Structures are given as structure tokens and as C-alpha cells.
Amino acid sequence: APLDPPDKPKAPADPAAIDTTSANVSDVRKMWQQAAQNAPPPMPKTKMGIVLPAAEAVSTVHTVGLMDRSIFSKQAASTGSAVKKTPAPDAAAAVKAAFRAPDSGGSEGGAEKPQSASMKSLERDFPVQPPSGGGESEEAPSGGGDEGGGKKPDEKPAQTPQPKAAAAAASPPSVDFSSEQFTELMSQIESGDADQKAYAAMELQTMALDSRSQVLMAQNGAIQPLVKLLMPGDPMVQASAAGALWNLAANEQNKFAIAQAGAIQPLVAMLYSDVREAQLSAAGALQNLCVNASNKKTVAAAGGVEALMMLLSDKDRHVKAKAAGALQSLAVDEENQKKIKSLGAIPLITKLLSSRTPEVQSNAAGALHNLAVNDEEAQEAVAQAGAIPPLIALMQNASPDLQAKAAATIWSIAGREENRKRIMEAGGIAPLVKMIQSNHSDCQSKASGAVRCLTMSAFTRPEFEKAGAIPHLVVLLSSGHQEVTINAAGALENLGCR
């Protein structure tokens, strides 16, 4: 006998069809029960607070020195060789030109000093996408752009698609691995003079933009010679080597191999360099390395927490972003959390929420989230540091990914009754209600979690009712995302709708 066709899924509830004149009217209960039939288990049965996991910073790759490569390639082409053992006369100057003075990297307090258009377009970070998506962007203003560097498959676009040319600029250039070129570059790394070593390392950094090349370069012995170049000496050589290791460390296996090769101690020492590019490359490499669990402890033991905290007050926004990102990942470790908090990092990180650079804001919010997760003392410290108003501002004005990060931090500090009141009084309810209506799944997830936590206090519930939260929470019961559904159901239970 033919099988019966499967039942069609029920259409999601329509917020406009729900009578919300009272939180306990029978229509709301009925809608809740109907939507709950489609919700994945487990359904919540208590008004307990939510235990949030800590979140790693996203690994990135960095392009720098591509301008020098282009100049050198043109000169080398006339001799019929892609890479020469002795650079052409202008190549050394080109290498030096890539390393700007420490104060020319673009500070928060004023406009950047002029750069050539080619250098501005080439010096960029690109997020390395984990399986679930996510990432950061430095260049877009905080009110627009997709901070994640890409959307999850089930998400609708939050804004008008960019032109093809702009979209292409959002990905690192593709650089094929050439065994012959790699061998020649490694020869310069081993036996060249300082300029040759610096340029070869910059070439390797460019080659390591590609994920396949990252694997092949490590397999062919690139890591140990690059680590040797981190030792005290020419800062250009150090910075170029750290930049190559930064990109290689975007690969998960390479993170461990680089640490095993002894890179962490010299990278931490480079954070104290007077050369801006050396600081940036070291901080970027450490941000990627700190995603590895064992590396977190090694970096902390090498004095990395103190050095990274120092950079939180740096004038350069890119350096600050990488320092905050590294601290975000370090704070996933419980012992590191205690150390970071005891050294007084929370007020420093909180100041970064008001940065004009989205990556700085994103990494700061992520670090505060990790420090506050399931720690009421830290939750109070984050609130006392003044984090709530800028977090609410980010939920209102930032890109969807940054909104989600801000909401996650609000969620993590809402475990304290006093903080729920502060969030309500600072105007945090309306932005959260708006976010649960978003097409962005991470916004829905983090905002619904914050709503669930906030509605644990009786004094917030009338405010959520006035803001029209109930019908939208009912809609989320059939969202198809388990975390969203559970959060929405818990919030509705707290609001008395079950």
C-alpha cells in the first residue's frame, strides 16, 4: 500500500492575529500551545537562568606587503625570474616602505595619515570562516556591513546586496601554491640578508592567504624557519615572519604546530615593540593561536595577558582589535578569566565598545561576554564599568552580527537582578524586541536568550508586554532553530503565557 504523504508543516503564527491585550488571555495560551507542538524538545519547565557558552574570537588572515610583491615582480620579470636571491635595487626600499611608523596606523582619536590608494586597498584582514560562519570586518562603519563576512545558508540578507566588485573585495586574493617559488623563498629565509628575509617572509604571508597553501607550507617545513626569524633583531624581519605565521595559524592544525615550534614567547615579546607593524602582526598571530585550548595557557604563562592588556590603550585601532580578540579567546579558559579580571581589564575593554571600528567593538563585546559568563561578580563589574549603554547602542545601530554579539553580552550580564533593572532603565527592552523580529538567526538566538533572562524579574514583564514582545515570541516557537525556540518558550513561560 502506498505510504501516506507526510503532514505539511503548520504555517508560523501571525503576530497580527494574536490578541495581546493581556498576558494571560486564552488566545495567547492557545497560540502558544499550537506553536509548541512544532517546537523541538526539550521544552523548558522552569524559569531558570541560561548557562551561556564562551565564544572564541574568529581566526583571520591579513594581507600586507602585496604592494612590494608587485613592485618586485615587475623588476624580477625583466630577468626572467619570479624570485631572485638578490633583490633589485628598489626592492629593499619597497620592503621598508611597507612598515609604517607606529603612529601612522590609524588611531581612534583622529583621521588616518594619508596612504597611497594601493596600500590602503591591500592592507586588510579577512575572517577565516568556521563551519558555522561568523567573523569580523574592520573597514565598515559600525552601522552597516556584514561583520560576519558571510551569511549562514538559512538566513535572509539583512541589506541590499553589494555590487560584484565590492563582494569580491571581501575575500582574500587567491594565491596558488608554487613548489618552486616556495623552495626559493625558503632559501632566502635561511640564508638571505635582512631585506631578503623580510621580503621572502612577506611573500610567504601572501602565499598563506590560501587555506590549501597553509597546509602545504606547513607540511614542507615553513613553520620552524619563520619562528627563528621572530628572535630579537631586525624588526622588519620579525614583523614579516609574524605576519606569515599569523596567516598560517588560521589553520587549526598549524595553531598547535606553531606553538610547539616555540613561537609564543617571542610573539609576546614583540607586543612591546616600537614598530607598529611588528605589534600588529604579533597580536594577529596570537589572536589566531589563542583559539587552541593548550595555547591559551601557554600565552598566559608567557605574560601574554599583561602585554595584550597594554595594547588595549594603543592609538592604533587595528592593534587594539587584535589585542581584544586575543583576550576574548584567552578568556574562554577559566584560569585566564580570573587573571584577566584580577588585572583590571574589564574597564579597559569596556572603553573599546565606543570605538568607531566594528572589529574593535565586536572583539570587546566578545571578551566581556566571556568574562561575565556564569560569574556574577564579573557581571557586576561589567555593569559598573559602564558597558550597558554602549551595548544597547550597538543593538540598535550596528550590523546584524555585531548586534548579536552585543545582545549575547547583555544576556551574559543579565544573570544579576540588579543588572536586569539597569538594562531596562537604560532602554534595552525595545531593541531586544526589535531584534527577535530579525531575519538574522544569530540576532534571534541571542536576543531571545536575553529576553528570557530579563523576564525572570517581575518588574521587566510589563515593559516587554508594552513593547509587543509576546506575539513575536510566539512566532519564534516555530522558527526551526532549537535555541531560539527554547528561549522564546522560556520567555513566554516567564511572562505567564503557558
Side-chain angles (χ1 to χ4, degrees):
L3 296 173
D4 293 333
D7 293 335
K8 293 182 179 180
K10 297 181 180 179
D14 178 7
I18 303 174
D19 180 2
T20 58
T21 54
S22 167
N24 292 307
V25 292
S26 59
D27 285 347
V28 175
R29 287 204 197 95
K30 195 178 297 182
M31 293 296 290
W32 194 99
Q33 291 165 358
Q34 290 173 352
Q37 291 175 4
N38 295 326
M43 297 298 290
K45 296 182 180 179
T46 70
K47 300 178 183 180
M48 65 180 182
I50 294 73
V51 177
L52 278 170
E56 301 282 0
V58 173
S59 294
T60 62
V61 291
H62 184 66
T63 63
V64 68
L66 298 181
M67 178 178 67
D68 309 309
R69 180 177 191 216
S70 172
I71 292 171
F72 182 64
S73 295
K74 288 178 183 177
Q75 296 169 343
S78 63
T79 65
S81 173
V83 178
K84 304 277 297 174
K85 295 219 175 188
T86 303
D90 291 340
V95 172
K96 290 181 173 66
F99 295 93
R100 295 170 291 167
D103 64 346
S104 64
S107 68
E108 293 289 346
E112 288 189 67
K113 293 187 178 180
Q115 292 182 52
S116 69
S118 59
M119 192 63 186
K120 272 194 174 181
S121 65
L122 291 174
E123 184 177 353
R124 294 195 59 193
D125 281 2
F126 300 94
V128 177
Q129 298 292 350
S132 60
E136 289 103 17
S137 166
E138 287 183 30
E139 302 299 331
S142 61
D146 182 8
E147 189 127 331
K151 294 194 175 294
K152 298 179 184 178
D154 59 345
E155 290 171 5
K156 298 178 182 178
Q159 50 189 310
T160 305
Q162 296 179 338
K164 289 184 179 179
S171 299
S174 177
V175 182
D176 292 332
F177 179 83
S178 164
S179 178
E180 182 180 353
Q181 184 189 28
F182 175 79
T183 301
E184 191 69 34
L185 291 170
M186 293 307 299
S187 175
Q188 292 194 33
I189 291 288
E190 294 283 2
S191 58
D193 61 25
D195 287 334
Q196 290 171 329
K197 289 179 178 179
Y199 185 74
M202 293 168 80
E203 285 276 8
L204 291 174
Q205 179 177 358
T206 302
M207 189 179 287
L209 289 168
D210 176 70
S211 59
R212 176 176 171 270
S213 295
Q214 291 161 10
V215 175
L216 292 173
M217 290 168 70
Q219 289 175 347
N220 284 276
I223 291 174
Q224 189 67 60
L226 286 168
V227 171
K228 289 181 180 178
L229 297 187
L230 299 178
M231 300 307 162
D234 191 314
M236 292 191 299
V237 174
Q238 288 181 298
S240 299
L245 291 168
W246 175 351
N247 288 358
L248 286 169
N251 176 274
E252 293 305 310
Q253 285 71 36
N254 289 352
K255 287 175 170 62
F256 180 75
I258 291 168
Q260 288 295 103
I264 287 178
Q265 186 69 62
L267 285 171
V268 170
M270 284 175 63
L271 298 177
Y272 293 96
S273 172
D274 292 330
V275 178
R276 175 260 184 187
E277 198 64 48
Q279 286 184 317
L280 175 61
S281 295
L286 287 169
Q287 176 178 322
N288 283 0
L289 291 171
C290 285
V291 174
N292 178 277
S294 62
N295 290 351
K296 297 182 202 299
K297 297 184 183 297
T298 308
V299 170
V305 173
E306 295 86 346
L308 291 164
M309 281 180 57
M310 172 195 70
L311 295 184
L312 295 178
S313 302
D314 195 89
K315 292 181 179 179
D316 188 283
R317 64 184 186 271
H318 304 296
V319 171
K320 284 192 285 194
K322 299 307 169 193
L327 287 169
Q328 176 184 344
S329 288
L330 284 173
V332 173
D333 179 86
E334 187 175 349
E335 290 303 313
N336 287 346
Q337 284 179 9
K338 295 176 182 177
K339 185 171 186 177
I340 294 168
K341 287 181 286 194
S342 68
L343 290 172
I346 287 177
L348 295 174
I349 297 171
T350 298
K351 288 181 181 178
L352 300 185
L353 295 174
S354 300
S355 166
R356 294 179 297 173
T357 303
E359 189 190 13
V360 176
Q361 296 170 315
S362 177
N363 290 347
L368 290 175
H369 163 75
N370 287 352
L371 292 170
V373 163
N374 310 317
D375 183 335
E376 288 203 13
E377 185 179 333
Q379 292 165 17
E380 177 65 16
V382 170
Q384 289 289 349
I388 291 174
L391 287 169
I392 291 173
L394 290 177
M395 291 195 300
Q396 293 172 310
N397 303 315
S399 66
D401 287 289
L402 188 44
Q403 285 181 317
K405 269 209 165 178
T409 309
I410 287 289
W411 182 2
S412 69
I413 66 174
R416 283 182 64 86
E417 181 95 9
E418 298 89 337
N419 286 352
R420 293 176 211 143
K421 185 175 182 180
R422 289 166 175 153
I423 293 165
M424 181 186 72
E425 292 175 344
I429 288 177
L432 288 169
V433 173
K434 186 175 181 180
M435 284 179 66
I436 63 174
Q437 303 171 53
S438 170
N439 289 325
H440 191 280
S441 64
D442 207 28
C443 280
Q444 288 183 340
S445 173
K446 301 305 187 291
S448 61
V451 171
R452 180 184 180 188
C453 204
L454 286 165
T455 52
M456 290 166 57
S457 294
F459 55 78
T460 67
R461 296 169 196 159
E463 299 303 316
F464 276 106
E465 291 175 38
K466 290 177 188 176
I470 291 174
H472 299 293
L473 289 168
V474 171
V475 171
L476 293 185
L477 292 172
S478 45
S479 71
H481 297 276
Q482 184 165 340
E483 183 180 31
V484 173
T485 300
I486 291 173
N487 287 338
L492 286 167
E493 182 180 17
N494 291 344
L495 288 164
C497 296
R498 186 162 189 174

